[in-house]
Amino acid sequence: EMYEKFAVETAEVPERVVLTEKRHVLAPELPVWIPGSLGRLEEGAREAGGVTAPPFVVYHAEVTMESDGPAEACVPVADEAAARAWAERQGRVTGAGVRVEPARRIAFARITKDQVAHPQILAAFEAVESWAAERGLSVDGPCREIYFADWDAAGPEDPVCDVAFPVK
């Protein structure tokens, strides 16, 4: 059973205001695009009351070597009005936006820095999907990667990311 190395759990995630940047991107571009976009959005968050929860990346469609998503980088922020003002200024440059991410229940597997690489990460997504299906849960929105650790400070074996699906 290849999924046993992934312990899957569920969590309730509250509604959040997020600064976002959305882009069509192929899998090989993700290691550059993800930190770049999250870095830009974290700068914006400083003007919007600060980051209130771990940043995450939503995959609205498949991202592989051939399929280019889109993917959406999201940084939860405290102040929606300030976030909208910042995004309006930035949006012309980077396509930054603001949206409200609804409250959700997620099923997730926690993975190490080593496991984040493509295609290894796909096994974690498959494990979460299988786990949910086995329990009669249906996927209720696009999958996501939640980056809760300091990436640069983390070693290869350190947990850095939750691979998650919204479920109901």
Side-chain angles (χ1 to χ4, degrees):
E1 171 74 19
M2 69 177 286
Y3 300 135
E4 278 168 11
K5 66 174 175 173
F6 299 105
V8 181
E9 298 171 61
T10 59
E12 301 298 327
V13 181
E15 179 181 278
R16 296 196 164 124
V17 174
V18 291
L19 280 176
T20 74
E21 212 178 280
K22 199 188 260 191
R23 185 162 147 208
H24 287 274
V25 60
L26 294 167
E29 300 169 80
L30 290 173
V32 172
W33 179 73
I34 290 174
S37 59
L38 291 179
R40 287 187 290 274
L41 295 171
E42 282 165 2
E43 269 175 47
R46 287 203 275 277
E47 290 184 38
V51 178
T52 58
F56 57 100
V57 176
V58 177
Y59 294 95
H60 292 280
E62 218 179 343
V63 173
T64 62
M65 306 306 249
E66 295 83 35
S67 173
D68 69 351
E72 182 187 25
C74 300
V75 172
V77 295
D79 182 336
E80 183 173 1
R84 290 193 185 283
W86 179 83
E88 210 162 291
R89 291 197 305 278
Q90 281 302 303
R92 295 181 200 92
V93 186
T94 62
V98 179
R99 68 178 177 85
V100 176
E101 169 76 7
R104 303 179 176 278
R105 182 179 182 205
I106 59 167
F108 68 94
R110 184 149 287 186
I111 62 172
T112 64
K113 190 171 180 175
D114 259 358
Q115 292 171 319
V116 169
H118 191 89
Q120 293 89 299
I121 195 167
L122 300 179
F125 279 114
E126 285 164 20
V128 176
E129 241 178 332
S130 300
W131 182 95
E134 282 161 20
R135 282 152 188 81
L137 299 170
S138 61
V139 170
D140 185 30
C143 64
R144 60 222 35 226
E145 294 163 9
I146 303 161
Y147 289 98
F148 57 81
D150 177 340
W151 180 269
D152 294 329
E157 302 302 313
D158 291 329
V160 294
C161 177
D162 289 334
V163 162
F165 282 92
V167 293
K168 60 178 180 188

